[in-house]
Amino acid sequence: MKSLETRLRALRDSGRKALVPYFMGGLTPDWIQHVEAAVHAGADAVEIGIPFSDPMMDGVVIQEAALRALRADTTLDSICADLEALSNSVPLIAMTYFNIFHHYGLERSAGKLQASGVSGAIVPDLALEEADEWIAACDQHDVATVLLVAPSTTPDRVRRLGQATQGFAYASARMAVTGRSGGAGDAARVVQSIREVTTVPTYIGIGISSEEQAKEASGIGDGVIVGSALVQIILDGGGAGEVESFVRSYRAAIDG
Amino acid sequence: MTDPPYMSSPDQRGRFGNFGGRFVPEALMPACLELESAFVDAWADSTFVEEYHRVLRDFAGRPTPVTPLERLSDKLGIRLFAKREDLAHTGSHKINNVIGQTLLTKRMGKHRVIAETGAGQHGVATATAAARLGLECTVYMGEVDTVRQVLNVFRMELLGATVVPVTSGSKTLKDAVNEAMREWVTCVEDTHYCLGSVMGPHPFPWMVREFQSIIGHEALRQMREHGVDTPDAVVACVGGGSNAAGIFAGFANTSARLIGVEAAGGAAVVSGSPGVLHGMRSLLIQDEFGQIEEAHSISAGLDYPGIGPEHAHLAEIGRAEYYPIGDEDVLDALALLSELEGIIPALESAHAVAWIAREAGRSLPTGSSVLLNLSGRGDKDVAQVRAMLRGES
């Protein structure tokens, strides 16, 4: 079992619901301080977006964040270099599109992530059927390959995804790209279908954009992923202080 | 070159050699699998195939003729023929694919189609086919292209479609594809994504080639009626590559050279490298970090930074050749065909004309027989061409 999954299973078994905020790497020069503020406020793991020019699964907020990060010359290498300054100890999970790793080299990408303290990776456009080489590369470097399960996923696919996912299973609450608000949606059904086939922790994302929705989702799954709502604050000029209070209020809602 | 047969079915994962596949979010996988199975089923069903051919005949005006281009042949010293997809309903080959896909949409029990469009040809064709079957239709079009092709926007609206300008990224075709994919995630239950070229995730590259292969099958027969058993070369323009795939399909297992002509500013085979975009592994124009670059061409229909995966495969195994043509040669070619033959080609198709004009007497030896796929008519481009010839843009 990869170290990400060991840690997230232990977290779940301790009774704590995981809160996983998402940040776009390189969005602002001080983005690492945003990550630290989130950890300080009670994040249990952090997703680090690596910007891609054509983010097919992302709505306007993450699209804009990716565009800004790219304009600031953000790359996989620059993000990994920035991560060296990070002093916290929560798990880091990279999220990007397959072409970034494909272009960098699969083995080289996985090695780079591991060397930068990243213990998981989410590649939303990499279907299970195409993922063998990437999973093999990650296996060499203790990088967990986190797979998504969607409301449209058929039972036979849930079984295969549930068996193949590492670290946690990413339960998509809605048939939508990131940033479309709407709450837990189909999450209960998706989470239940995952739990029937695996004991891996199940986190809910896509559509969680308020404390109430986070609380509702945390009652269904083992954790909650919050992306666009947080990134919007940073796009609007918010700094580490705003990030900290955002995460703190979600933490309180989930724990309350 | 590997052994024939060429242009047969992709493998089980939807691969043509090293290219193709299905790189889509899990949310879309069930729809791609459903589509594959529906297409395989329909394409083996004589009732479906007969209806497809009947609609192409009665509605779209097929078969389109092959026209000997006599004056241009004399000028160039070759025997040049044109497959007249410009004479198909809506003015381009795009109608062949959308007739197939909209019939399939009905067959799958879906009542709505979405589509991306660059120049507007595929959008107009989709809106047309949707109107004919009473399907709802929404077309995603880059904001830049809605300005370049404002009349096509109006055509789509006349046909009852909703046109959504796409303001993300470069605001052109690749972004329209992104937006259509994003939209498809939200409505996949009742909506079919009517992709316009031989690109995207499996089964689209294969299915669209199959629906376009009627061009090549007709042309092979028609060339024989013109006394040419096998042309020495078959030449087509390539953006995503659907008209080229369609005509190549009729000649892939003959001795004809297959030549794809790319816009120099979007030449994925000539200047691209392997990558993954829009659900497929193919050749893409990208920077050193794997960020997709913007294509630049005077023709919106070729403004795409990738190419269909089967073309990438045909290039890799050496069965087809791909060459770039710059914007400056395209206007001359458009004027040449207009003045000598009385046919105003689309800017896209004019790329193929330009390559033939350049290569006649060189890599197309004097006296050789050449089949041009005249994929679309130029009416949509005349305002833009007028402005360019007057130096206004």
Side-chain angles (χ1 to χ4, degrees):
Chain A
M1 188 177 293
K2 290 181 180 165
S3 50
L4 178 67
E5 188 162 326
T6 305
R7 289 180 71 171
L8 297 184
R9 280 179 181 265
L11 182 74
R12 176 191 58 196
D13 296 344
S14 75
R16 180 174 165 104
K17 297 289 187 177
L19 175 59
V20 185
Y22 169 101
F23 293 93
M24 177 60 74
L27 176 53
T28 62
D30 60 345
W31 72 277
I32 285 288
Q33 289 162 38
H34 300 164
V35 176
E36 287 181 333
V39 174
H40 185 65
D44 298 295
V46 175
E47 263 186 45
I48 308 289
I50 303 168
F52 178 51
S53 53
D54 294 81
M56 190 211 282
M57 264 302 280
D58 285 305
V60 289
V61 174
I62 307 283
Q63 285 174 42
E64 172 65 22
L67 206 62
R68 285 201 205 174
L70 288 173
R71 282 195 196 121
D73 296 326
T74 302
T75 64
L76 173 56
D77 279 336
S78 76
I79 287 175
C80 288
D82 289 350
L83 286 174
E84 284 174 19
L86 199 57
S87 52
N88 75 80
S89 61
V90 305
L92 304 176
I93 300 143
M95 180 158 183
T96 192
Y97 291 83
F98 189 52
N99 200 48
I100 298 294
F101 295 144
H102 183 274
H103 201 79
Y104 198 83
L106 301 188
E107 175 75 31
R108 185 172 167 233
S109 297
K112 184 79 187 178
L113 293 179
Q114 182 185 31
S116 312
V118 176
S119 59
I122 304 169
V123 186
D125 62 337
L126 187 61
L128 179 62
E129 285 78 353
E130 300 286 355
D132 288 353
E133 283 177 64
W134 172 238
I135 292 172
C138 288
D139 284 348
Q140 302 294 312
H141 294 282
D142 192 32
V143 173
T145 46
V146 179
L147 302 176
L148 281 96
V149 178
S152 59
T153 304
T154 50
D156 64 307
R157 293 187 65 79
V158 175
R159 188 171 309 107
R160 286 157 57 208
L161 289 163
Q163 283 161 1
T165 194
Q166 302 169 352
F168 65 94
Y170 192 130
S172 172
R174 319 189 66 78
M175 288 298 288
V177 296
T178 61
R180 291 205 191 174
S181 176
D186 295 316
R189 181 173 60 79
V190 177
V191 168
Q192 193 195 342
S193 70
I194 295 169
R195 284 181 174 161
E196 283 169 7
V197 297
T198 177
T199 60
V200 76
T202 300
Y203 294 1
I204 297 169
I206 304 187
I208 310 301
S209 61
S210 72
E211 291 91 330
E212 295 71 29
Q213 290 167 356
K215 181 175 175 58
E216 184 193 3
S218 70
I220 298 167
D222 303 308
V224 180
I225 300 159
V226 185
S228 299
L230 175 55
V231 171
Q232 183 68 58
I233 285 173
I234 300 165
L235 288 178
D236 292 342
E242 282 81 3
V243 169
E244 185 169 339
S245 62
F246 179 98
V247 174
R248 204 175 289 289
S249 72
Y250 274 66
R251 180 83 257 167
I254 290 171
D255 292 344
Chain B
M1 234 187 267
T2 57
D3 295 330
Y6 300 108
M7 300 190 81
S8 52
S9 302
D11 71 14
Q12 279 213 312
R13 295 161 73 202
R15 297 265 182 153
F16 302 94
N18 293 316
F19 300 102
R22 191 141 45 191
F23 294 86
V24 292
E26 173 57 26
L28 292 178
M29 268 308 277
C32 287
L33 293 166
E34 177 199 10
L35 179 63
E36 180 189 358
S37 127
F39 172 67
V40 168
D41 187 65
W43 210 224
D45 177 350
S46 59
T47 312
F48 179 87
V49 174
E50 278 162 24
E51 187 176 11
Y52 163 74
H53 284 284
R54 183 178 59 73
V55 177
L56 285 178
R57 184 193 66 204
D58 296 348
F59 180 69
R62 301 205 73 87
T64 59
V66 163
T67 303
L69 302 181
E70 292 173 1
R71 295 186 68 208
L72 187 54
S73 291
D74 286 347
K75 181 178 169 68
L76 299 177
I78 57 175
R79 284 190 295 156
L80 181 58
F81 300 82
K83 177 61 172 163
R84 300 292 305 280
E85 293 303 295
D86 60 315
L87 295 179
H89 183 39
T90 70
S92 82
H93 70 290
K94 293 291 186 188
I95 194 77
N96 307 324
N97 170 42
V98 298
I99 294 293
Q101 287 202 47
T102 50
L103 288 172
L104 197 57
T105 303
K106 275 270 201 192
R107 189 180 166 101
M108 289 189 293
K110 299 187 175 188
H111 63 77
R112 178 169 174 255
V113 288
I114 56 173
E116 84 294 339
T117 197
Q121 292 298 94
H122 175 58
V124 169
T126 306
T128 299
R132 190 188 152 273
L133 286 175
L135 300 167
E136 283 175 53
C137 178
T138 303
V139 178
Y140 293 84
M141 188 170 187
E143 194 178 49
V144 170
D145 293 333
T146 63
V147 175
R148 284 200 282 197
Q149 296 288 347
V150 66
L151 284 177
N152 269 342
V153 173
F154 183 63
R155 282 190 187 98
M156 289 183 264
E157 289 169 351
L158 271 179
L159 291 159
T162 304
V163 179
V164 179
V166 174
T167 57
S168 57
S170 61
K171 304 179 177 63
T172 60
L173 180 55
K174 86 176 169 81
D175 307 285
V177 176
N178 287 333
E179 208 55 39
M181 291 261 186
R182 290 178 187 123
E183 173 62 20
W184 198 27
V185 173
T186 70
C187 59
V188 69
E189 288 263 305
D190 65 0
T191 300
H192 172 64
Y193 179 15
C194 188
L195 231 165
S197 193
V198 286
M199 45 161 287
H202 181 58
F204 284 105
W206 171 50
M207 178 177 72
V208 175
R209 181 253 280 172
E210 287 294 285
F211 285 143
Q212 292 292 4
S213 65
I214 190 163
I215 303 172
H217 297 314
E218 283 178 5
L220 180 68
R221 176 172 53 74
Q222 292 165 319
M223 287 300 281
R224 288 177 181 167
E225 288 164 10
H226 283 292
V228 178
D229 189 52
T230 302
D232 295 312
V234 176
V235 185
C237 66
V238 179
S242 69
N243 89 79
I247 199 157
F248 287 180
F251 297 89
N253 295 298
T254 73
S255 59
R257 283 176 74 190
L258 305 179
I259 293 150
V261 183
E262 304 187 278
V269 174
V270 178
S271 353
S273 57
V276 173
L277 178 72
H278 296 154
M280 62 183 175
R281 183 175 193 277
S282 192
L283 294 170
L284 308 173
I285 300 172
Q286 51 190 330
D287 70 11
E288 59 182 303
F289 306 108
Q291 307 295 348
I292 308 305
E293 300 198 293
E294 293 173 26
H296 294 287
S297 167
I298 52 170
S299 87
L302 302 185
D303 237 351
Y304 184 68
I307 190 169
E310 189 169 24
H311 287 295
H313 174 61
L314 291 170
E316 187 171 81
I317 64 173
R319 178 62 191 97
E321 309 154 56
Y322 298 83
Y323 301 101
I325 280 288
D327 287 352
E328 62 284 359
D329 295 327
V330 173
L331 288 179
D332 291 344
L334 184 141
L336 188 68
L337 193 68
S338 302
E339 289 168 15
L340 290 184
E341 297 292 344
I343 300 169
I344 302 174
L347 282 171
E348 290 78 9
S349 319
H351 284 72
V353 177
W355 187 84
I356 291 167
R358 192 183 75 193
E359 293 299 316
R362 300 165 67 181
S363 75
L364 297 173
T366 301
S368 57
S369 56
V370 177
L371 174 62
L372 156 73
N373 197 21
L374 221 167
S375 56
R377 68 178 181 221
D379 304 47
K380 69 181 172 59
D381 298 319
V382 290
Q384 187 190 348
V385 170
R386 179 168 177 259
M388 285 186 293
L389 289 176
R390 291 179 171 193
E392 291 167 13
S393 71

